[in-house]
Amino acid sequence: MSQLEFIPPARPLIGDEEREAVDRVLRSGMIAQGPEVAAFEQEFAAHFVDGRETVAVNSGTSGQHLGLLAAGVGPGDEVIVPSFTFAATGNSVALTGATPVFVDIEPDTFTLDPEAVRAAITPRTKGVMPVHLYGHPFMVDELSAVAAEAGIAIYEDAAQAHGASWNGRKVGTLGDFAMFSLYPTKNMTSGEGGMVSCANAEIARNVRLLRNQGMETQYANEVVGFNARMTDIHAAIGRVQLTKVDNWTAQRQRNAAALDEGLADLDGVVTPVVRDGAVHVYHQYTIRVDAAERDRIREALKDEHRVGSGVYYPIPNHRLPSLARFAEGLHLPETERAASEVLSLPVHPSLTQVDLDRIVTAMHAVMGAGA
Ligand SMILES: *Cc1c(COP(=O)(O)O)cnc(C)c1O
């Protein structure tokens, strides 16, 4: 068995086209934010968010932070966030000086529970930041109704959901702003980077100002800003990836269907739920297993079958040392259960049919061994 090639849980795909694009920018002598970034913004906006004004930044986290600042979030405000997500979601709220208010998830999709959001709204609530976790849209109709009724904003964390949609409405067009991440393990990459899709010209202008030292005109700084610019080197990579991402997403979806079928009859495994009306882009293919068995399953997949897997995320954010001060005494049972049960199997577009068969066979062997 040891000569089997390891199947990694994620694999960024970088080809000759990306290498040539980087070389072109390097040879141009202009490598900081310039024409490649401007072109990437336009192309990304046309591709994913129906042409909404979109601003490129140096990471998804920067995009989320600047988006919140641009939307006017600051000290004294509360923003409702899931605890079951990557720490950047709550961090970006905390970095503005506002308070992240952690609420529980709905167990089928692992996304924010709209009724729990309703119960957490106070007079200080400025908005809610749902995450399209694993590439499945949040509960758009239910949560939008709650937000509209309370008069609070929606800020989308679309870091994992390039191309996902809900009844024909694209993620990234559903809130005041949406952040997409371009980190290497996401569905497409620019090396590092982020995109902020903005609902109106004012938010977009604010993000542009904050990205570049608060300047629209050189040396006429209007507000205190950051250097959160994307480079043309990164944008050139992203532009090439944009021409490939739809094929990759289709491959992710085919891989997920093969895994669904292969794991359907396996006791002790709950395969991903896709709600009617949702287009899931499978950033992750995440199953549930018995919490007491998960570590054994992961180890056996890796050691006996050379199949990588991941746990996203093992520690709910409201219990992280960095964020726990916002959540004293808080108990989120569905979040805790998910954190102890989830297991993500490889679903990335470079898997072969042989890889998919190996993953299914390995899961059957490993689950059988525990029974
Ligand atoms: C990756 C990710 C982020 C942060 O994006 P970076 O580009 O890594 O800064 C935020 N939220 C979620 C859910 C993510 O997966």
Side-chain angles (χ1 to χ4, degrees), residues 59-61 64 85-86 88-89 131 157 159-160 179 181 186 193 313:
S59 75
T61 306
Q64 217 162 13
T85 175
F86 184 55
T89 313
V131 180
D157 182 330
Q160 306 183 350
M179 173 278 290
S181 170
K186 300 295 159 83
Y313 297 86

Side-chain angles (χ1 to χ4, degrees), residues 1-4 6 295-309 358 366:
M1 284 241 169
S2 59
Q3 62 269 49
L4 276 178
F6 181 65
D295 288 351
R296 179 193 68 77
I297 293 168
R298 278 200 81 187
E299 290 295 301
L301 285 175
K302 176 160 71 69
D303 297 342
E304 291 161 30
H305 301 275
R306 307 277 292 144
V307 172
S309 63
R358 272 180 58 197
V366 164

